Amino acid sequence: MNLTTVTYRDPLNIAIVKNVITVVLSIAIIYVNGTLLHTFKKHEVFNTNPRYILYIHLVINDILLLIMFTLLQVLSYAIFTLHVPFCIILLVIAIISSLNTPMTLAVMAVECYVAICFPLQHSQICTVKNVTVVITVIWMLSSLTILPDLFTILATESRDFFHSRVFCLWKTTFRPPELEKKKDISNIVFLVIVWLTLVYTYFRILFAAQAAATNARKARNTVLLHGFQLLLCMLNYVHDLLLNGLTSLFPSGVLTIRYTVSILIHVLPRIISPIIYGIRDKMFRKYLKKYLFHTKNANAFVHR
């Protein structure tokens, strides 16, 4: 996960402005996602529903990604280099979270497909227990993708390297060239599987029985939104290509381009999840309004 680059540094005033924008945006999105998480935990109607459990798993991963991105962004400006072990911890959490997202989107699409195409079997297939198992498998698969890389650098790098400081990037920490190729291959495999799942479920829902036309249309639109989310996730994998292309066209604006691309790829896509369920979903919207209204009334009472 490429979060920034090292060739140049901004003047202090510009660095402060950029970090303030990053922190404010991230806190705002984390607050919204945190509100959704609180609403989920407070009401049994959500935490006993497999669909909402999958959604909140997506929200938690968005929060983790934002925290890691903001930490790396701010620390890269504030102290520039980090101790290698600390950098590895931040990168591993960020990478696992970023891999969890597309797999969770695929599982959510499958859940929609089962609900529309196999309504009688849905309650037996999509249970809280089964969803918990699936989420555990997602974390295991993501971890198994990055752990071999971790073991490789533990075996090949010197002790001095782990006592040194680096500008915290994948390429400066996981340095063996074969790891870069492995990362590209694993990303392609993940994305192909997820895209095939989304396309298959979308067309199966599209041709679902006319008796369930309304529900099928809603599920189809949800799968389309999952596809849009996945498209935004894929921007992470063309980060370097996009950055190199734009900086070659506008070399004088290299620092602005790097910052803007990072915000577009790592921060703004995290807004999509709250929109899909926090606003589109009637049930979540109903309980969210209750929570916000209750909070507003409580604050008004305190200030009397």
Side-chain angles (χ1 to χ4, degrees):
M1 186 175 181
N2 301 312
L3 296 174
T4 186
T5 48
V6 295
T7 309
Y8 308 103
R9 297 186 73 175
D10 283 307
L12 180 61
N13 59 330
I14 295 177
I16 291 172
V17 170
K18 287 181 177 180
N19 279 285
V20 167
I21 292 171
T22 299
V23 171
V24 169
L25 273 175
S26 297
I27 289 175
I29 298 171
I30 289 170
Y31 174 77
V32 172
N33 280 333
T35 303
L36 296 174
L37 183 58
H38 177 77
T39 304
F40 169 84
K41 289 177 67 177
K42 287 271 290 183
H43 301 286
E44 192 176 344
V45 67
F46 296 127
N47 51 54
T48 57
N49 186 318
R51 180 172 298 177
Y52 292 108
I53 292 172
L54 285 169
Y55 165 65
I56 219 66
H57 179 245
L58 197 65
V59 167
I60 290 169
N61 277 282
D62 283 348
I63 291 173
L64 280 174
L65 272 169
L66 277 175
I67 292 171
M68 293 303 105
F69 171 77
T70 306
L71 267 176
L72 285 167
Q73 176 86 21
V74 172
L75 291 174
S76 71
Y77 278 101
I79 56 178
F80 200 60
T81 59
L82 302 178
H83 289 290
V84 168
F86 182 54
C87 174
I88 289 172
I89 291 170
L90 295 181
L91 288 176
V92 166
I93 295 172
I95 292 166
I96 289 175
S97 299
S98 67
L99 289 172
N100 285 347
T101 298
M103 287 192 285
T104 304
L105 290 172
V107 174
M108 292 173 77
V110 171
E111 189 276 331
C112 286
Y113 161 67
V114 173
I116 296 302
C117 298
F118 304 98
L120 298 179
Q121 292 81 22
H122 180 261
S123 59
Q124 285 81 38
I125 297 172
C126 299
T127 63
V128 172
K129 181 180 178 181
N130 288 345
V131 165
T132 304
V133 170
V134 168
I135 289 173
T136 303
V137 170
I138 288 173
W139 278 88
M140 288 176 62
L141 288 174
S142 297
S143 300
L144 288 172
T145 301
I146 185 64
L147 285 179
D149 299 355
L150 184 57
F151 293 144
T152 299
I153 64 168
L154 287 173
T156 58
E157 297 286 0
S158 66
R159 180 178 292 184
D160 289 341
F161 174 71
F162 293 101
H163 287 92
S164 66
R165 299 172 68 96
V166 295
F167 190 85
C168 194
L169 291 174
W170 169 274
K171 64 181 68 175
T172 58
T173 310
F174 295 85
R175 299 189 297 182
E178 61 270 18
L179 295 184
E180 186 71 24
K181 294 178 183 178
K182 174 190 165 295
K183 181 167 73 79
D184 291 340
I185 292 169
S186 63
N187 286 340
I188 291 169
V189 170
F190 269 110
L191 288 173
V192 167
I193 292 172
V194 172
W195 269 116
L196 288 175
T197 303
L198 287 176
V199 170
Y200 176 78
T201 54
Y202 174 77
F203 282 105
R204 288 301 302 266
I205 291 169
L206 186 66
F207 299 116
Q210 291 302 311
T214 303
N215 289 335
R217 186 165 57 251
K218 182 179 178 182
R220 184 193 64 198
N221 292 338
T222 300
V223 173
L224 271 179
L225 283 170
H226 291 336
F228 179 62
Q229 281 182 284
L230 183 62
L231 194 62
L232 292 175
C233 291
M234 287 177 65
L235 291 175
N236 186 51
Y237 305 123
V238 296
H239 179 278
D240 286 346
L241 185 64
L242 184 61
L243 205 58
N244 293 337
L246 289 173
T247 51
S248 65
L249 291 173
F250 309 101
S252 61
V254 59
L255 293 172
T256 302
I257 290 169
R258 286 173 181 168
Y259 177 77
T260 304
V261 168
S262 291
I263 292 293
L264 288 174
I265 289 177
H266 301 300
V267 178
L268 295 184
R270 312 278 84 81
I271 298 173
I272 302 299
S273 295
I275 291 174
I276 290 181
Y277 276 90
I279 297 175
R280 281 186 74 246
D281 188 88
K282 290 181 180 179
M283 187 179 294
F284 223 113
R285 190 166 65 239
K286 172 187 171 183
Y287 284 93
L288 194 59
K289 283 181 178 178
K290 284 184 180 179
Y291 168 73
L292 293 173
F293 184 72
H294 174 76
T295 303
K296 183 179 179 181
N297 284 345
N299 290 336
F301 180 77
V302 168
H303 286 93
R304 281 182 182 178

